[in-house]
Amino acid sequence: MNKFNWWLVLLLVACKGEEVAVYEPELLPAFRRVDFVTAGGDSSIFVYDGQMQLLSGRCHSATFGRERFTMQYSDGRPTGAEYETVIGTRDNPVPVSFSLNRHNMLLTLTREGWDKTFTFTYDDRFRLISFSVQLPQNGIYSSTISYDEQSNVSAVERYSNISGTQGATRTEFSDYDRHPNPFRLLVNVFYAPLFASAYGPLRYDNLGIPSGMVLSVNNPGKIIEYPDTGSSYERIFEYRYDSNGYPVSINCSADSSFPLSIVYGAF
């Protein structure tokens, strides 16, 4: 097994007479915090405890302003978070609630004040294979995710139906390196703190970091986009790594979201 593959620990528990496999977070290096910073000054910072349990995060975006969140747990299980979005000079706290499935993974995410609900599904290897967003007036975004044998994303197919207008796109990921993916630090327990910034862990609207890039074990070297209209186009990614093999910079000349610098704060 690739040493950067997920360490999945299967705990067998009794549940109505049925053996149920329960997801346990991957064993990760002890980082105290991880910073993502763009050349334009946008940033997202995520803070952890000694067990790599995510505690809080904050971001600053030239487009969206400032946001921060504090995670909430019960018996080690994430139950939600409180977000604060700065509107002018005033903080506006917003609660977010999580529900988990019987495998201890995120099932739904609901944010107060949003007329939308996120739903997540997984395969038997605990990999996220689809997520959908139900919008007002029955609008929907949905993504279906395919993986290769190394648990790197091979394709993401995205469908939308908004106000009667339908669209479908496909994104293919290839040419992976063998270095650990820094974004996996953010989704290790299968919840998705959602920033308005492009640098939150999971973006359902296909802006910022591609979801296939976020969910893979390693780092893709090439991404090909197939839009619902027009010609396909590709993006080539270049990485610089630290002595432990973690990427410290990501560049893609054809993508305005990059270059992106990553700083790891040791615990």
Side-chain angles (χ1 to χ4, degrees):
M1 179 181 292
N2 186 305
K3 70 176 180 178
F4 298 127
N5 278 356
W6 295 4
W7 293 12
L8 299 176
V9 180
L10 301 181
L11 302 180
L12 299 180
V13 299
C15 179
K16 297 181 180 180
E18 180 185 1
E19 290 185 340
V20 178
V22 178
Y23 173 77
E24 290 290 332
E26 179 182 356
L27 298 179
L28 294 168
F31 294 118
R32 180 71 181 206
R33 58 183 275 178
V34 180
D35 298 33
F36 297 87
V37 184
T38 71
D42 287 2
S43 64
S44 289
I45 299 171
F46 300 88
V47 180
Y48 304 83
D49 65 13
Q51 286 71 51
M52 281 302 293
Q53 180 172 270
L54 182 61
L55 299 179
S56 62
R58 60 185 183 270
C59 80
H60 180 271
S61 166
T63 303
F64 297 104
R66 289 179 289 144
E67 296 177 283
R68 58 179 176 263
F69 70 85
T70 302
M71 292 298 302
Q72 298 167 342
Y73 296 90
S74 176
D75 297 325
R77 292 162 58 92
T79 58
E82 183 173 85
Y83 283 72
E84 294 183 58
T85 303
V86 176
I87 302 175
T89 58
R90 181 173 61 88
D91 290 346
N92 181 33
V94 178
V96 177
S97 60
F98 302 155
S99 70
L100 304 182
N101 64 19
R102 64 179 183 163
H103 302 289
N104 202 31
M105 297 183 294
L106 180 67
L107 180 63
T108 64
L109 181 152
T110 305
R111 177 169 172 163
E112 186 176 290
W114 279 5
D115 293 325
K116 62 184 79 170
T117 299
F118 295 76
T119 303
F120 304 85
T121 57
Y122 309 89
D123 65 10
D124 58 4
R125 294 174 64 179
F126 300 126
R127 300 179 299 191
L128 182 66
I129 56 173
S130 70
F131 63 92
S132 62
V133 187
Q134 191 70 43
L135 303 171
Q137 293 80 48
N138 295 320
I140 190 170
Y141 288 98
S142 64
S143 292
T144 302
I145 304 153
S146 303
Y147 296 85
D148 62 22
E149 284 303 309
Q150 286 70 47
S151 289
N152 289 318
V153 172
S154 56
V156 176
E157 296 183 80
R158 183 171 177 268
Y159 169 78
S160 63
N161 188 342
I162 309 298
S163 300
T165 301
Q166 300 184 36
T169 63
R170 178 180 173 87
T171 306
E172 296 179 351
F173 301 80
S174 62
D175 297 359
Y176 281 90
D177 63 15
R178 287 295 176 259
H179 292 266
N181 174 3
F183 299 108
R184 284 169 50 77
L185 299 170
L186 308 179
V187 293
N188 187 44
V189 292
F190 286 89
Y191 51 77
L194 295 169
F195 280 147
S197 158
Y199 303 100
L202 185 62
R203 284 298 299 254
Y204 72 90
D205 54 9
N206 216 32
L207 298 175
I209 305 300
S211 57
M213 195 172 193
V214 171
L215 296 169
S216 294
V217 172
N218 306 118
N219 305 284
K222 181 167 68 174
I223 297 178
I224 303 177
E225 302 276 1
Y226 297 90
D228 51 1
T229 60
S231 301
S232 63
Y233 59 94
E234 70 176 32
R235 290 177 284 172
I236 303 298
F237 292 83
E238 298 176 344
Y239 300 86
R240 184 167 58 86
Y241 310 97
D242 65 13
S243 59
N244 294 314
Y246 274 85
V248 293
S249 71
I250 306 173
N251 194 26
C252 177
S253 59
D255 191 326
S256 60
S257 296
F258 298 91
L260 181 66
S261 298
I262 305 147
V263 180
Y264 309 92
F267 188 79

Short mmCIF file of all heavy atoms in Angstrom, two decimals, residues 1 51 53 59 69 72 92-93 120-121 127 132 134 141-142 160 189 212 221 225-226 236 239 243-244 247 254 262 266:
data_model
loop_
_atom_site.label_atom_id
_atom_site.label_comp_id
_atom_site.label_asym_id
_atom_site.label_seq_id
_atom_site.Cartn_x
_atom_site.Cartn_y
_atom_site.Cartn_z
N MET A 1 0.84 -1.20 0.00
CA MET A 1 0.00 0.00 0.00
C MET A 1 0.87 1.24 0.00
O MET A 1 1.85 1.33 0.73
CB MET A 1 -0.91 0.00 1.24
CG MET A 1 -1.80 1.23 1.33
SD MET A 1 -2.83 1.23 2.82
CE MET A 1 -3.91 -0.14 2.46
N GLN A 51 -4.19 15.84 18.76
CA GLN A 51 -4.69 14.63 18.12
C GLN A 51 -5.14 14.90 16.68
O GLN A 51 -5.84 14.10 16.08
CB GLN A 51 -5.86 14.05 18.91
CG GLN A 51 -5.46 13.35 20.20
CD GLN A 51 -4.98 14.33 21.26
OE1 GLN A 51 -5.66 15.32 21.55
NE2 GLN A 51 -3.81 14.07 21.81
N GLN A 53 -7.29 16.96 15.72
CA GLN A 53 -8.71 17.30 15.66
C GLN A 53 -8.82 18.78 15.33
O GLN A 53 -8.24 19.61 16.01
CB GLN A 53 -9.38 16.99 17.00
CG GLN A 53 -10.86 17.31 17.04
CD GLN A 53 -11.51 16.81 18.32
OE1 GLN A 53 -11.99 15.69 18.40
NE2 GLN A 53 -11.51 17.65 19.35
N CYS A 59 -10.42 32.83 7.56
CA CYS A 59 -9.97 33.18 6.23
C CYS A 59 -10.12 34.67 5.99
O CYS A 59 -10.90 35.36 6.66
CB CYS A 59 -10.71 32.38 5.16
SG CYS A 59 -12.34 33.03 4.77
N PHE A 69 -14.48 30.16 11.96
CA PHE A 69 -15.39 29.19 12.54
C PHE A 69 -14.72 28.50 13.72
O PHE A 69 -13.49 28.45 13.84
CB PHE A 69 -15.83 28.14 11.51
CG PHE A 69 -14.75 27.18 11.09
CD1 PHE A 69 -14.48 26.04 11.83
CD2 PHE A 69 -14.01 27.41 9.95
CE1 PHE A 69 -13.49 25.15 11.45
CE2 PHE A 69 -13.02 26.53 9.55
CZ PHE A 69 -12.75 25.40 10.31
N GLN A 72 -17.46 22.23 16.93
CA GLN A 72 -18.16 21.73 18.11
C GLN A 72 -18.17 20.20 18.06
O GLN A 72 -18.43 19.61 17.01
CB GLN A 72 -19.59 22.28 18.15
CG GLN A 72 -19.64 23.80 18.25
CD GLN A 72 -21.01 24.38 17.97
OE1 GLN A 72 -21.87 23.70 17.39
NE2 GLN A 72 -21.23 25.61 18.38
N ASN A 92 -21.22 38.48 12.47
CA ASN A 92 -22.54 37.88 12.37
C ASN A 92 -22.41 36.37 12.59
O ASN A 92 -22.11 35.63 11.66
CB ASN A 92 -23.14 38.16 10.98
CG ASN A 92 -24.52 37.59 10.83
OD1 ASN A 92 -25.28 37.52 11.79
ND2 ASN A 92 -24.86 37.15 9.62
N PRO A 93 -22.61 35.88 13.85
CA PRO A 93 -22.43 34.44 14.11
C PRO A 93 -23.56 33.61 13.51
O PRO A 93 -24.73 33.99 13.56
CB PRO A 93 -22.44 34.36 15.64
CG PRO A 93 -23.21 35.55 16.08
CD PRO A 93 -22.95 36.63 15.06
N PHE A 120 -24.04 13.98 1.66
CA PHE A 120 -22.81 13.30 1.26
C PHE A 120 -23.02 11.79 1.25
O PHE A 120 -23.69 11.25 2.14
CB PHE A 120 -21.68 13.64 2.23
CG PHE A 120 -21.43 15.11 2.39
CD1 PHE A 120 -22.17 15.87 3.29
CD2 PHE A 120 -20.46 15.76 1.64
CE1 PHE A 120 -21.95 17.23 3.44
CE2 PHE A 120 -20.23 17.12 1.79
CZ PHE A 120 -20.98 17.85 2.68
N THR A 121 -22.41 11.09 0.28
CA THR A 121 -22.44 9.63 0.25
C THR A 121 -21.03 9.10 -0.01
O THR A 121 -20.19 9.78 -0.60
CB THR A 121 -23.40 9.09 -0.83
OG1 THR A 121 -23.02 9.61 -2.11
CG2 THR A 121 -24.84 9.49 -0.54
N ARG A 127 -14.63 6.52 0.93
CA ARG A 127 -14.28 7.63 0.04
C ARG A 127 -15.56 8.37 -0.36
O ARG A 127 -16.57 7.74 -0.67
CB ARG A 127 -13.55 7.11 -1.20
CG ARG A 127 -12.27 6.39 -0.88
CD ARG A 127 -11.57 5.87 -2.12
NE ARG A 127 -12.37 4.90 -2.86
CZ ARG A 127 -11.91 4.14 -3.85
NH1 ARG A 127 -10.64 4.23 -4.20
NH2 ARG A 127 -12.69 3.29 -4.48
N SER A 132 -24.36 16.52 -2.86
CA SER A 132 -25.36 17.33 -3.54
C SER A 132 -25.76 18.48 -2.65
O SER A 132 -25.64 18.43 -1.43
CB SER A 132 -26.59 16.50 -3.92
OG SER A 132 -27.21 15.99 -2.76
N GLN A 134 -29.06 20.96 -2.16
CA GLN A 134 -30.44 21.29 -2.50
C GLN A 134 -30.65 22.77 -2.27
O GLN A 134 -30.40 23.29 -1.19
CB GLN A 134 -31.42 20.48 -1.63
CG GLN A 134 -32.86 20.56 -2.08
CD GLN A 134 -33.10 19.82 -3.39
OE1 GLN A 134 -32.60 18.72 -3.58
NE2 GLN A 134 -33.86 20.41 -4.29
N TYR A 141 -27.34 21.30 -7.15
CA TYR A 141 -26.01 21.00 -7.67
C TYR A 141 -25.66 19.61 -7.18
O TYR A 141 -25.92 19.27 -6.02
CB TYR A 141 -24.95 21.95 -7.11
CG TYR A 141 -24.97 23.36 -7.61
CD1 TYR A 141 -25.59 24.37 -6.88
CD2 TYR A 141 -24.32 23.71 -8.79
CE1 TYR A 141 -25.58 25.69 -7.31
CE2 TYR A 141 -24.31 25.02 -9.24
CZ TYR A 141 -24.94 26.00 -8.49
OH TYR A 141 -24.92 27.30 -8.92
N SER A 142 -25.06 18.79 -8.01
CA SER A 142 -24.59 17.49 -7.54
C SER A 142 -23.29 17.12 -8.24
O SER A 142 -23.07 17.50 -9.40
CB SER A 142 -25.64 16.40 -7.78
OG SER A 142 -25.87 16.21 -9.15
N SER A 160 -26.12 20.31 -12.69
CA SER A 160 -26.89 21.37 -12.04
C SER A 160 -28.22 21.54 -12.75
O SER A 160 -28.34 21.32 -13.96
CB SER A 160 -26.11 22.69 -12.04
OG SER A 160 -25.90 23.14 -13.36
N VAL A 189 -11.85 13.98 8.69
CA VAL A 189 -12.94 13.37 9.46
C VAL A 189 -14.27 13.52 8.76
O VAL A 189 -15.32 13.38 9.35
CB VAL A 189 -13.00 13.94 10.90
CG1 VAL A 189 -11.80 13.52 11.70
CG2 VAL A 189 -13.16 15.44 10.88
N GLY A 212 -11.84 17.43 -6.83
CA GLY A 212 -11.01 16.25 -7.04
C GLY A 212 -9.60 16.43 -6.52
O GLY A 212 -8.96 15.48 -6.08
N GLY A 221 -1.05 16.29 -11.51
CA GLY A 221 -0.21 17.13 -12.36
C GLY A 221 -0.97 17.73 -13.51
O GLY A 221 -0.54 18.73 -14.10
N GLU A 225 -10.70 19.94 -18.22
CA GLU A 225 -12.08 20.34 -18.03
C GLU A 225 -12.86 20.14 -19.33
O GLU A 225 -12.42 20.54 -20.41
CB GLU A 225 -12.15 21.82 -17.63
CG GLU A 225 -11.38 22.18 -16.37
CD GLU A 225 -12.19 21.91 -15.12
OE1 GLU A 225 -13.34 21.43 -15.24
OE2 GLU A 225 -11.67 22.18 -14.02
N TYR A 226 -14.04 19.53 -19.19
CA TYR A 226 -14.97 19.36 -20.31
C TYR A 226 -16.25 20.12 -19.97
O TYR A 226 -17.14 19.57 -19.30
CB TYR A 226 -15.26 17.88 -20.56
CG TYR A 226 -14.05 17.08 -20.96
CD1 TYR A 226 -13.25 16.47 -20.00
CD2 TYR A 226 -13.70 16.93 -22.29
CE1 TYR A 226 -12.13 15.74 -20.36
CE2 TYR A 226 -12.59 16.20 -22.67
CZ TYR A 226 -11.80 15.61 -21.69
OH TYR A 226 -10.69 14.89 -22.06
N ILE A 236 -1.97 22.49 -16.17
CA ILE A 236 -0.80 21.77 -15.71
C ILE A 236 -0.34 22.37 -14.40
O ILE A 236 -0.18 23.60 -14.29
CB ILE A 236 0.34 21.81 -16.74
CG1 ILE A 236 -0.14 21.25 -18.09
CG2 ILE A 236 1.56 21.04 -16.23
CD1 ILE A 236 -0.56 19.81 -18.04
N TYR A 239 4.63 21.67 -8.44
CA TYR A 239 4.70 21.66 -6.99
C TYR A 239 6.15 21.83 -6.51
O TYR A 239 7.09 21.39 -7.16
CB TYR A 239 4.17 20.33 -6.44
CG TYR A 239 2.73 20.05 -6.81
CD1 TYR A 239 2.42 19.43 -8.03
CD2 TYR A 239 1.69 20.41 -5.97
CE1 TYR A 239 1.11 19.17 -8.37
CE2 TYR A 239 0.37 20.16 -6.31
CZ TYR A 239 0.08 19.54 -7.52
OH TYR A 239 -1.22 19.29 -7.88
N SER A 243 11.12 19.11 3.13
CA SER A 243 11.96 17.94 3.36
C SER A 243 11.14 16.71 3.75
O SER A 243 11.63 15.58 3.66
CB SER A 243 13.00 18.25 4.44
OG SER A 243 12.36 18.63 5.66
N ASN A 244 9.90 16.91 4.19
CA ASN A 244 9.02 15.79 4.54
C ASN A 244 8.15 15.35 3.37
O ASN A 244 7.33 14.43 3.52
CB ASN A 244 8.13 16.17 5.73
CG ASN A 244 8.92 16.41 6.99
OD1 ASN A 244 9.80 15.63 7.34
ND2 ASN A 244 8.62 17.50 7.69
N PRO A 247 3.78 19.41 -0.08
CA PRO A 247 3.87 20.58 -0.97
C PRO A 247 3.86 21.89 -0.16
O PRO A 247 3.08 22.04 0.77
CB PRO A 247 2.60 20.48 -1.81
CG PRO A 247 2.20 19.06 -1.75
CD PRO A 247 2.59 18.59 -0.38
N ALA A 254 -2.30 28.71 -15.85
CA ALA A 254 -3.59 28.90 -16.52
C ALA A 254 -4.75 29.08 -15.55
O ALA A 254 -5.90 29.13 -15.97
CB ALA A 254 -3.87 27.69 -17.42
N ILE A 262 1.76 27.10 1.01
CA ILE A 262 1.24 26.34 2.14
C ILE A 262 2.32 26.32 3.22
O ILE A 262 3.48 26.00 2.96
CB ILE A 262 0.88 24.91 1.74
CG1 ILE A 262 -0.11 24.93 0.58
CG2 ILE A 262 0.28 24.15 2.91
CD1 ILE A 262 0.02 23.81 -0.37
N ALA A 266 4.37 23.17 13.06
CA ALA A 266 4.55 21.94 13.83
C ALA A 266 3.94 22.08 15.21
O ALA A 266 3.94 23.16 15.81
CB ALA A 266 6.04 21.63 13.94
#
